[in-house]
Amino acid sequence: MVGQCCHQCTPESLGLKLLCNTPPLGFQNLTCVNETHTGYRGWLVRRVCCLLFVWGREVHPSPAGNRRHRVHGSERVREALETACSSDETKVVELVMPKVRGYLSRLLALTQTFISPSLLRIVSWMLLKFFSLMFWNVQINLNQLAALHRATRLKAPLVYVCVRQSGIDHALICLTLFCHNLRVPYTIYPAHVRQTWLRSILQRLGVVLLPEGTGSERDVEMDSLYSSVMTSFIGELLREGAALCVGITAARGHGGQWLARVHQAISDGLVPDVSIVPVGVSYDCLPRHFMRPQASVMSALRFVVSLLKGDHRGSVRIHFAQAFSLKEMCESGRCRVDGGRPLQELLLTAILNNRMGSIFNQKDVSWLLPPAVMPELPPTDRQQTIALTLHLMYSSTTSMAVMSTSLVSCLLLHKHRRGVRVSVLCRDICWLLEEVLFRNTDVGFGGALVGLVHHALSLLRPYLLLAAAPPTGEPIIAPRPDPESLLTLSQHCHLLTHVFIHEAVGACAVSAMLSEVVGCGGGGDQEFDVVLGQEELTEKSLQLTHLLSPGYIPPCQNAHSFALDVVDSMVRCGVLVMEEVQKDSPACDFMKRQGVLSWAASDNPDQSSDSDCEEPDKHSYKLSQPSQCPELLFFLCSLLSVQLRALCWALESLHYLPTPITETDCLSQLHTHLKNRAQLDKAHYESSSIDLVGMALRTFIDLGVLTEDRQREDVYLDVSPLFSQCTYKEKLLQFFKQFITKREK
């Protein structure tokens, strides 16, 4: 059972039990349409069954009507026009400047987006044929579709929210809803489409694009007139009873503004409530053409040829989580909306002065919806939207299924990088599969182990090296040591990092303490027979927790509670065992008897006194099996080493940048430096992806390593005076490196 809504923020929605108390209906392959789906029988029906099926689907018409005039006449748009216009406010509509008038006309053209039933049926038929060539199957949980049908009886518009992965996410979601007689949503797809004919088709399918002749999504959102028109437009759509499909991303915070507009529609009284449905879309192997939107014509032709040949077709699993009430979440007062403190305040004192007092607070992530976006939004609504965005990032990610290629990629990249026999790989897949299921995460496959491994290896074949091991000839498999292969395998591993995030953080914290206590960050043949204090282990975990991107931590859990769960997870997975400390024994004596180096809380480690021997915490921990644990420890540490190494490389590359520099140029140049660094080391190419560079840049801004100068046309970045000094820069670098084992370095 996956996809249940939050028991803390939306207990009433959870109490509806939309996903529970129903007999299992199984799964359905969306692209497999035969005569049994049409109500007709016969030889001719079998030839045109897909066409008959599409024409028999129920389509909820959604004409534009006079929506443009309603949006234009709204008070919010009129106020934005008054701000944008320099003429007399009493005659703003008549005397508006030609430039503003033309821009407003392009914006209002977006409000004419509607859903044409005939065109929708034709395109759906084409998509069914297209996806049947692209994918082996598209699996849908029928119990979740039945729950959506029950949610529609609540008479509240549905808003589907997914994490952006590719350009076909929204198409798969809309096609699924169409094939099951659910209202097809208007799709928010903020992209530039320059072809007039293609824009016209997409607008007749309910796709809301960026206005013509504008900049990027971020630049457009800074415009108050665009923001006002879109807010009124979303309100009108919801008032008409239309559904919406929104994509969000944790890398740059895109998508949160659309959730704010949905919430604004409730605040304005346009709709009494809205039901939010997190959606998880999982791919066995996403076609490379859709991972490269700027692909060449020859690349597109090769992609079409591969479709016709039917090579390397993967599977897709789509999960629709339980719908929950947006009004309940925002107005019940149960959802955490505290703004938190800047990362600079949380970690700098710990990094530079070894003082831990501030790390127990929450991290501020206001950049998910910065003040420059929708400036008219009240501060409380802004914080509420940020909390909602965090909820949906986490819910959509945890609703995704782990695919077979994810298991194989994770083992090859993080456990058997130098190669592994197929028999050993099969054994480890069984182990990893059990661990995934134990954490209440769904998997998108079934069948015998041999077929599973063969299917995954056939999909990953372009990224692997295969050889025969003498004398038996058993195949040995290893990842190809080239950038494209390692980046692709790392992308498949991303979801498993979310699944094992507690264990990964805990393993990195244990590794950092071992390095600090005994000076051996990862000696594979050495026994780690040391004792770790609970307080220090929690502090290390908390420090690393603050470096994680949004979406990893449950949104209703504070960072300190998460760090405590991290320590508990290390015991559950068998890495650590608890040792009870005698109450009549001071901590320093206990540590000395165990041969452990103890450190004091003072800034000067050389100072010591009898006052250090105070009543200890009740719990201390040791590695359960010091001679065997390193392998599991290294595997878990490796899951986060990809991100930590990117932080180290990016920090070392900052002095190459010609500062001050625009944020866009900084991202591009840092990406180039990280690729060169990986090429120089001839290893760890997975740490040089553009997403990780963006994550590192965001971390440096939050830490105060880079300062922002927001000018009218762009944002300029410069290295702060503090981190221009080599001493402090080196301290920060060592702070990052402490969580990476020597084997990974």
Side-chain angles (χ1 to χ4, degrees):
M1 178 65 68
V2 296
Q4 290 183 306
C5 55
C6 179
H7 69 279
Q8 178 175 327
C9 297
T10 54
E12 295 178 10
S13 298
L14 183 63
L16 295 176
K17 297 183 179 180
L18 297 176
L19 280 174
C20 304
N21 299 331
T22 57
L25 301 176
F27 291 86
Q28 178 193 36
N29 181 8
L30 187 69
T31 59
C32 181
V33 178
N34 53 46
E35 60 181 316
T36 61
H37 297 96
T38 64
Y40 302 97
R41 296 293 184 270
W43 174 85
L44 183 59
V45 172
R46 287 194 291 271
R47 298 299 183 272
V48 295
C49 59
C50 187
L51 196 61
L52 291 173
F53 169 76
V54 167
W55 241 255
R57 297 297 87 193
E58 179 183 359
V59 177
H60 301 269
S62 182
N66 63 342
R67 188 190 302 145
R68 174 174 181 147
H69 298 288
R70 296 198 304 270
V71 171
H72 190 197
S74 65
E75 182 180 354
R76 180 179 285 107
V77 174
R78 292 181 63 86
E79 291 177 355
L81 278 172
E82 292 176 3
T83 304
C85 180
S86 59
S87 55
D88 188 2
E89 294 184 1
T90 60
K91 299 181 179 179
V92 61
V93 178
E94 293 79 12
L95 302 179
V96 66
M97 293 183 299
K99 183 178 180 181
V100 177
R101 187 189 299 117
Y103 180 54
L104 177 62
S105 178
R106 294 199 302 272
L107 294 181
L108 292 176
L110 299 178
T111 66
Q112 293 296 101
T113 302
F114 67 100
I115 296 178
S116 169
S118 300
L119 184 61
L120 179 63
R121 287 191 170 95
I122 294 173
V123 173
S124 298
W125 174 77
M126 296 173 62
L127 287 177
L128 283 172
K129 294 296 185 181
F130 179 68
F131 288 145
S132 65
L133 292 174
M134 183 184 300
F135 302 114
W136 184 259
N137 56 50
V138 179
Q139 293 292 332
I140 309 297
N141 189 324
L142 295 179
N143 283 81
Q144 295 172 353
L145 270 299
L148 282 183
H149 279 284
R150 290 190 289 272
T152 57
R153 303 192 194 115
L154 301 177
K155 303 301 181 182
L158 296 179
V159 176
Y160 303 91
V161 182
C162 65
V163 176
R164 295 183 190 175
Q165 298 180 79
S166 72
I168 61 177
D169 296 338
H170 295 295
L172 283 168
I173 294 172
C174 292
L175 181 63
T176 301
L177 298 174
F178 169 81
C179 290
H180 288 85
N181 289 328
L182 288 160
R183 182 184 287 272
V184 176
Y186 283 79
T187 301
I188 309 298
Y189 191 69
H192 285 291
V193 178
R194 294 178 175 82
Q195 294 83 359
T196 305
W197 62 272
L198 184 56
R199 286 185 68 94
S200 178
I201 291 176
L202 292 176
Q203 285 189 314
R204 284 168 170 77
L205 294 172
V207 180
V208 181
L209 303 167
L210 288 177
E212 296 181 273
T214 56
S216 64
E217 179 185 3
R218 188 189 66 174
D219 296 335
V220 173
E221 289 291 349
M222 299 293 182
D223 182 70
S224 59
L225 184 56
Y226 171 83
S227 178
S228 299
V229 171
M230 288 297 104
T231 302
S232 299
F233 176 43
I234 294 299
E236 290 295 331
L237 287 178
L238 294 174
R239 191 180 64 83
E240 296 170 6
L244 297 177
C245 186
V246 179
I248 57 176
T249 176
R252 301 182 184 180
H254 293 167
Q257 67 274 17
W258 298 100
L259 300 175
R261 291 173 181 132
V262 172
H263 182 215
Q264 196 66 39
I266 299 178
S267 302
D268 293 344
L270 296 176
V271 288
D273 197 4
V274 170
S275 294
I276 305 292
V277 183
V279 184
V281 183
S282 305
Y283 299 93
D284 246 348
C285 194
L286 189 65
R288 283 174 282 178
H289 178 77
F290 287 95
M291 299 167 65
R292 301 173 181 172
Q294 305 300 328
S296 63
V297 176
M298 290 302 300
S299 176
L301 290 176
R302 285 193 294 268
F303 170 70
V304 172
V305 171
S306 67
L307 283 183
L308 297 176
K309 291 172 61 179
D311 293 341
H312 309 300
R313 294 194 301 168
S315 301
V316 181
R317 174 69 68 84
I318 304 177
H319 275 301
F320 292 90
Q322 181 177 348
F324 65 86
S325 167
L326 178 58
K327 185 176 182 179
E328 179 190 1
M329 169 168 280
C330 296
E331 298 182 5
S332 64
R334 302 186 186 99
C335 181
R336 295 178 57 91
V337 293
D338 51 321
R341 297 175 62 181
L343 186 62
Q344 184 176 1
E345 296 182 14
L346 296 180
L347 286 183
L348 274 195
T349 55
I351 296 171
L352 304 181
N353 303 317
N354 198 29
R355 293 176 180 172
M356 305 298 172
S358 61
I359 64 172
F360 298 96
N361 296 285
Q362 290 297 105
K363 181 175 68 171
D364 175 50
V365 287
S366 57
W367 53 269
L368 287 173
L369 190 63
V373 176
M374 298 183 68
E376 72 279 4
L377 202 64
T380 54
D381 289 352
R382 188 175 299 275
Q383 290 296 334
Q384 191 73 64
T385 301
I386 292 173
L388 175 63
T389 305
L390 291 173
H391 254 282
L392 290 170
M393 284 180 184
Y394 182 79
S395 299
S396 298
T397 304
T398 54
S399 297
M400 297 170 65
V402 174
M403 309 301 282
S404 59
T405 49
S406 299
L407 297 178
V408 174
S409 299
C410 184
L411 290 171
L412 291 177
L413 197 62
H414 297 298
K415 191 174 183 182
H416 302 296
R417 197 177 185 105
R418 296 182 179 179
V420 61
R421 295 175 182 265
V422 171
S423 59
V424 177
L425 181 64
C426 291
R427 181 197 65 196
D428 286 347
I429 286 177
C430 289
W431 161 75
L432 190 58
L433 175 59
E434 290 179 357
E435 295 294 330
V436 168
L437 295 175
F438 176 74
R439 286 158 181 80
N440 198 31
T441 300
D442 192 22
V443 293
F445 53 85
L449 177 63
V450 175
L452 164 68
V453 175
H454 180 269
H455 173 72
L457 293 179
S458 64
L459 293 175
L460 298 175
R461 179 66 182 88
Y463 316 111
L464 304 178
L465 295 173
L466 277 76
T472 61
E474 182 181 3
I476 294 180
I477 303 167
R480 287 184 180 271
D482 61 81
E484 182 183 5
S485 298
L486 295 178
L487 285 171
T488 302
L489 294 177
S490 180
Q491 187 179 22
H492 285 298
C493 300
H494 182 66
L495 183 58
L496 282 170
T497 305
H498 283 266
V499 174
F500 292 97
I501 189 60
H502 288 88
E503 292 78 6
V505 171
C508 290
V510 169
S511 175
M513 291 186 66
L514 292 175
S515 178
E516 184 175 349
V517 174
V518 297
C520 64
D525 301 327
Q526 187 170 355
E527 291 195 1
F528 304 114
D529 192 11
V530 296
V531 177
L532 308 175
Q534 182 183 27
E535 182 179 352
E536 290 82 3
L537 191 57
T538 303
E539 288 176 353
K540 287 291 183 185
S541 301
L542 195 53
Q543 293 174 26
L544 182 54
T545 299
H546 289 313
L547 292 178
L548 297 177
S549 301
Y552 282 99
I553 303 177
C556 293
Q557 187 177 24
N558 61 55
H560 186 213
S561 175
F562 178 82
L564 293 174
D565 287 348
V566 163
V567 178
D568 293 339
S569 70
M570 297 305 291
V571 178
R572 286 196 302 270
C573 72
V575 174
L576 297 179
V577 292
M578 186 182 300
E579 285 214 346
E580 294 292 339
V581 182
Q582 299 295 331
K583 292 185 178 181
D584 57 349
S585 174
C588 58
D589 291 342
F590 176 76
M591 294 296 185
K592 289 174 183 176
R593 287 201 304 270
Q594 297 295 326
V596 179
L597 299 179
S598 177
W599 57 90
S602 61
D603 293 339
N604 189 353
D606 298 329
Q607 296 178 354
S608 61
S609 65
D610 293 337
S611 61
D612 293 335
C613 299
E614 299 176 354
E615 187 69 20
D617 290 338
K618 293 183 179 179
H619 299 135
S620 295
Y621 302 91
K622 291 183 67 174
L623 291 180
S624 57
Q625 296 176 334
S627 59
Q628 286 85 20
C629 263
E631 289 303 319
L632 177 58
L633 195 67
F634 293 148
F635 170 71
L636 295 173
C637 287
S638 181
L639 294 176
L640 282 179
S641 66
V642 178
Q643 303 177 32
L644 293 167
R645 191 181 303 106
L647 286 171
C648 295
W649 287 358
L651 184 62
E652 293 172 337
S653 303
L654 285 182
H655 68 277
Y656 294 114
L657 301 180
T659 55
I661 184 174
T662 64
E663 187 174 351
T664 304
D665 291 341
C666 183
L667 184 68
S668 175
Q669 293 192 29
L670 268 183
H671 188 209
T672 302
H673 286 303
L674 262 64
K675 289 191 294 184
N676 292 338
R677 175 61 187 271
Q679 194 70 40
L680 184 65
D681 292 354
K682 295 183 179 180
H684 304 304
Y685 294 103
E686 67 273 13
S687 293
S688 62
S689 71
I690 187 66
D691 290 336
L692 290 179
V693 175
M695 178 273 299
L697 196 60
R698 182 72 258 167
T699 302
F700 292 158
I701 294 173
D702 291 345
L703 275 174
V705 178
L706 296 174
T707 59
E708 290 181 299
D709 180 16
R710 294 189 175 274
Q711 300 184 11
R712 185 174 183 181
E713 61 277 359
D714 214 329
V715 178
Y716 286 83
L717 302 177
D718 199 355
V719 180
S720 66
L722 179 66
F723 287 97
S724 297
Q725 305 176 40
C726 295
T727 303
Y728 295 111
K729 183 179 177 181
E730 183 63 25
K731 283 187 176 182
L732 180 59
L733 183 62
Q734 293 305 318
F735 174 77
F736 293 148
K737 284 185 175 181
Q738 69 174 326
F739 298 110
I740 308 177
T741 61
K742 286 184 178 179
R743 176 183 292 188
E744 291 296 328
K745 293 175 184 177

